[in-house]
């Protein structure tokens, strides 16, 4: 049984049919990527899994448990962490307070250890512990959002376009950290437009277009597919 | 927000709030005993305390939770009329006035808490302008409902009827001999025994400060600040947005109810129309001018802006004119960089060692 199973979900924004019968699965220990152009439904899919949006049909199960009626705040404590698109950090709090908020659903147990783990992956955040988060650079804000998500000790980490708007060096750094999270035992569901980078580290990937899954395969297979090359890899 | 930017600075500021309130209380009490306050100023003491508590509690909703509420006077009015009914009907049982005042304030706060919860259920699902409009409507609804209320008390207990059609009067309560009317519909509360004291008001301010300051520092308060800062991020770390907003809102309305009870028991008569939209806006002005999330600012703004129109009464015709000019000057002084610099030159203080 897969860790996360998404079966035939349909999501609407009012009368707009954003996701059409999407099904996919993520097995424990995998890195799975959803790629696709703007408006393909990638972020909507993640938001549906984390309970911010609801599907009209189908089901989403996590470790065998149905997520259908579970409110967003409870899904976090079930072991799914969602890093939303666009560096949604708490701008007016310090870096440390942001990280603290990440442990909101799981305070107490090995708290100090988890903080240390975050600083281990993001030494730059440790240097800026007392700084107001809104004054961080874009890359640092992305790191803070990821570090905060790791504070809930998720089994499944969902990252929504972590490389968006970052310089090539920072993109490399972010992908290295994703790999490091994965090696430490976290399953990763990644949404990306940077198909090159993301397919290179993925076990499997799904290609979305207009709210549908149009192609699926291992990361390597998709990188070699002519269709993908033309549409996403530039050549 | 300043409360967060630097914990040390904010604890200093909070500490200063307690000290300032206590010092002001001692000075005013001393002046009062020395006969330095005229009758008019004495009459202002308790209402000022009430409006300080109102401003502090509204600051919790507007400044700390970040949602604009325009119906805060409604909760004040719930507290006021509950307090009056409780105090008047317990008069025979509990002759001790401070104790009766305490019970009346607690009951007023409790009713406002229930009102806040019921109104919060639909209202807190909304955001921004919509929330503001709906709270405004609920404030007016509360006022209209209390306008229909006829309450009396006799040996058998409290009698309440709703005069929705306008065809009922105090006679319909069928009070026994020796019974008294407490609230007479649109005429409001009449013949109330005034038991509010300045000391009571002072204690209520301290309690309010204590509750709000500790709330902001608590885990719950942090969650509320997180929601204000970034709702989506708060949801993504597992904050139950509705629940934490409700907690903050109910605390806010509860404190408004307490302030209302103190206010209602300061006068021999009071009408529901006193707690209309204008009163809500008045309190909002205190909060905005004092600074969103700035508790000390709320206290100072409420004091100055409440006393100012009264102190200017001798200039009758120009009173509101001066009031308006003062409001504009304060806004300029706090927002316009040029005027700010000018003020900084005139008053060469602070703003040093402010770094984080």
């Amino acid at each position: 049984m897969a860790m996360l199973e998404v079966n035939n979900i349909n999501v609407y924004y009012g009368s707009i049919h954003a996701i059409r019968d999407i099904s996919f699965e993520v097995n424990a220990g995998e890195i799975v990527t959803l790629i696709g152009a703007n408006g393909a439904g990638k972020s909507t899919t993640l938001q549906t899994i984390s309970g911010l949006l609801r599907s009209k049909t189908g089901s989403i199960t996590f470790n065998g448990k149905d997520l259908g009626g579970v409110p967003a705040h409870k899904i976090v404590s079930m072991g799914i962490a969602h890093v939303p698109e666009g560096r949604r950090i708490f701008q007016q709090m310090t870096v440390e307070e942001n990280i603290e908020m990440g442990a909101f659903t799981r305070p107490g147990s090995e708290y100090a250890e988890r903080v240390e783990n975050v600083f281990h992956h993001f030494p730059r955040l440790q240097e800026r512990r007392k700084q107001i988060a809104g004054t961080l650079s874009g890359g640092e804000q992305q790191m803070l959002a990821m570090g905060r998500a790791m504070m809930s000790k998720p089994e499944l980490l969902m990252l929504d376009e972590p490389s968006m708007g970052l310089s090539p060096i920072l993109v490399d750094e972010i992908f290295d950290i994703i790999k490091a999270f994965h090696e430490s035992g976290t399953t990763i569901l990644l949404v990306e437009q940077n198909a090159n980078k993301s397919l290179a580290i993925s076990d499997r990937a799904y290609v979305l277009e207009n709210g549908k899954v149009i192609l699926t395969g291992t990361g390597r297979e998709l990188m070699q597919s002519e269709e993908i090359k033309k549409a996403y890899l530039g050549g | 927000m300043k409360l967060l930017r630097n914990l040390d600075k904010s604890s200093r500021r909070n500490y200063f709030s307690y000290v300032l309130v206590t010092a002001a209380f001692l000075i005013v009490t001393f002046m009062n005993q020395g006969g330095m306050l005229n009758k008019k100023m004495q009459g202002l003491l308790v209402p000022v305390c009430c409006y300080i508590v109102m401003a502090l509690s509204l600051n919790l909703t507007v400044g700390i939770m970040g949602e604009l509420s325009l119906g805060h006077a409604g909760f004040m009015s719930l507290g006021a009329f509950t307090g009056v009914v409780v105090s008047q009907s317990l008069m025979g049982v509990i002759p001790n006035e401070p104790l009766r005042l305490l019970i009346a304030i607690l009951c007023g706060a409790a009713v406002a808490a229930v009102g806040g919860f019921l109104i919060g259920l639909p209202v807190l699902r909304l955001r921004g302008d919509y929330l503001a409009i709906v709270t405004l409507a609920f404030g007016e609804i509360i006022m209209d409902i209390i306008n229909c209320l006829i309450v009396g008390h006799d040996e058998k207990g409290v009698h309440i009827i709703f005069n929705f059609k306008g065809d009922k009067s105090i006679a319909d309560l069928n009070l026994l001999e020796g019974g008294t009317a407490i609230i007479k519909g649109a005429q409001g509360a009449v013949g109330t025994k005034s038991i509010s004291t300045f000391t009571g008001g002072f204690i209520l301010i301290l309690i309010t400060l204590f509750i709000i300051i500790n709330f902001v520092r608590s885990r719950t308060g942090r969650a509320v600040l997180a929601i204000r800062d970034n709702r989506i991020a708060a949801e993504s770390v597992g904050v139950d947005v509705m629940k934490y907003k409700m907690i903050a809102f109910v605390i806010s309305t509860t404190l408004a109810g307490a302030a209302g009870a103190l206010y209602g028991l300061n006068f021999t008569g009071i009408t529901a129309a006193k707690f209309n939209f204008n009163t809500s806006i008045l309190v909002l002005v205190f909060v905005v001018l004092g600074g969103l999330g700035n508790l000390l600012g709320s206290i100072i703004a409420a004091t100055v802006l409440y006393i100012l129109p009264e102190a200017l009464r001798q200039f009758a015709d120009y009173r509101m004119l001066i009031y308006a000019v003062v409001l504009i000057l304060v806004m300029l002084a706090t927002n316009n960089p040029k005027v700010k610099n000018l003020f900084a030159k005139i008053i060469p203080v602070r703003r040093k060692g402010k770094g984080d």
Side-chain angles (χ1 to χ4, degrees), chain B residues 15-178:
Chain B
Y15 183 65
F16 186 62
S17 305
Y18 288 122
V19 173
L20 183 92
V21 169
T22 313
F25 170 72
L26 291 176
I27 292 170
V28 172
T29 310
F30 182 72
M31 283 168 70
N32 196 7
Q33 276 166 358
M36 287 157 86
L37 294 183
N38 59 24
K39 204 87 203 141
K40 206 173 78 188
M41 289 307 277
Q42 281 174 355
L44 286 179
L45 293 179
V46 175
V48 166
C49 292
C50 296
Y51 278 103
I52 289 175
V53 174
M54 284 299 286
L56 287 171
S57 63
L58 186 63
N59 209 335
L60 184 57
T61 304
V62 179
I64 292 163
M65 188 167 95
E67 294 290 5
L68 186 58
S69 164
L70 296 178
H72 212 50
F75 300 107
M76 188 185 189
S77 130
L78 282 181
F81 287 95
T82 309
V84 167
V85 170
V86 168
S87 169
Q88 289 299 99
S89 29
L90 290 180
M91 205 164 351
V93 191
I94 306 170
N96 183 333
E97 286 188 358
L99 180 63
R100 207 164 75 231
L101 179 64
L102 175 70
I103 294 171
I105 288 177
L106 289 178
C107 293
V111 170
V114 173
F117 178 74
L118 292 178
I119 290 171
L121 281 177
V123 163
L124 293 178
R125 289 173 200 280
L126 305 169
R127 280 177 238 175
D129 301 346
Y130 301 101
L131 187 142
I133 292 165
V134 177
T135 49
L136 189 158
F138 273 112
E140 297 297 296
I141 291 171
I142 292 175
M143 188 180 87
D144 283 336
I145 289 178
I146 293 178
N147 254 335
C148 301
L149 208 56
I150 297 177
V151 180
H153 174 256
D154 61 18
E155 290 158 13
K156 277 179 162 172
V158 179
H159 300 258
I160 300 173
I161 50 172
F162 285 101
N163 180 25
F164 285 130
K165 286 186 186 152
D167 55 356
K168 299 210 171 81
S169 75
I170 203 75
D172 294 306
L173 284 174
N174 299 321
L175 293 177
L176 298 175
E177 200 143 325

Side-chain angles (χ1 to χ4, degrees), chain B residues 293-340:
Chain B
N294 183 341
L295 300 181
L296 185 57
S298 288
I299 296 176
I300 295 171
T303 313
V304 173
L305 292 181
Y306 190 77
I307 294 180
L308 197 64
E310 302 296 330
L312 292 174
R313 212 172 270 278
Q314 42 195 323
F315 306 108
D317 295 345
Y318 307 104
R319 185 163 74 106
M320 290 321 280
L321 189 67
I322 298 174
Y323 184 76
V325 170
V326 169
L327 282 186
I328 293 169
L329 282 180
V330 172
M331 279 190 280
L332 282 176
T334 47
N335 277 319
N336 188 317
K338 275 184 191 162
V339 183
K340 229 173 171 174

Side-chain angles (χ1 to χ4, degrees), chain A residues 52 73 88 90-92 104, chain B residues 219 228-229 233 235 240:
Chain A
L52 298 172
H73 61 271
R88 304 278 188 168
F90 302 115
Q91 305 263 344
Q92 293 171 4
F104 192 78
Chain B
R219 178 180 140 86
R228 182 196 63 188
D229 204 334
E235 279 184 325
D240 183 348

Side-chain angles (χ1 to χ4, degrees), chain A residues 24-220:
Chain A
F24 66 94
E25 54 183 42
V26 180
N27 297 306
E30 280 187 318
I31 298 184
V32 173
T33 302
L34 306 179
I35 57 173
N38 287 334
K42 308 181 300 287
S43 301
T44 308
T45 308
L46 289 198
Q47 285 176 21
T48 311
I49 296 169
S50 65
L52 298 172
L53 296 172
R54 294 284 164 204
S55 169
K56 288 212 168 161
T57 60
S59 69
I60 301 174
T61 55
F62 180 67
N63 286 336
K65 275 175 257 169
D66 187 18
L67 298 184
V70 185
H73 61 271
K74 291 212 174 114
I75 287 180
V76 181
S77 45
M78 290 173 75
I80 300 181
H82 180 190
V83 181
E85 189 179 1
R87 300 163 206 147
R88 304 278 188 168
I89 56 164
F90 302 115
Q91 305 263 344
Q92 293 171 4
M93 295 187 184
T94 65
V95 169
E96 211 165 33
E97 286 164 342
N98 263 275
I99 290 172
E100 210 174 287
M101 279 307 296
F104 192 78
T105 53
R106 292 188 179 186
S109 68
E110 327 116 35
Y111 173 77
E113 212 173 286
R114 277 181 279 160
V115 175
E116 209 159 289
N117 182 40
V118 170
F119 287 150
H120 166 72
H121 285 294
F122 303 103
R124 217 176 311 178
L125 294 183
Q126 187 162 24
E127 289 164 29
R128 298 175 187 263
R129 266 161 54 193
K130 302 280 178 198
Q131 197 170 321
I132 296 296
T135 65
L136 295 175
S137 74
E140 287 162 349
Q141 294 194 9
Q142 182 62 48
M143 290 178 188
L144 181 55
M146 288 167 66
R148 190 183 60 200
M150 287 306 283
M151 284 300 289
S152 67
K153 267 202 149 179
E155 286 177 60
L156 174 68
L157 178 65
M158 303 196 295
L159 297 162
D160 198 346
E161 303 215 17
S163 75
M164 188 171 66
L166 299 182
S167 72
I169 296 175
L170 275 171
V171 171
D172 284 346
E173 210 172 310
I174 294 282
F175 273 97
D176 284 343
I177 291 161
I178 296 173
K179 272 191 276 181
F181 281 167
H182 178 240
E183 274 155 26
S184 67
T186 313
T187 306
I188 307 235
L189 176 57
L190 184 63
V191 156
E192 260 300 337
Q193 298 222 36
N194 188 335
N196 235 335
K197 288 264 173 213
S198 53
L199 290 178
I201 63 164
S202 300
D203 295 305
R204 292 185 302 110
Y206 295 84
V207 181
L208 266 59
E209 207 175 276
N210 294 327
K212 284 185 195 152
V213 175
I214 55 159
L215 206 58
T216 169
T218 66
R220 184 164 304 184

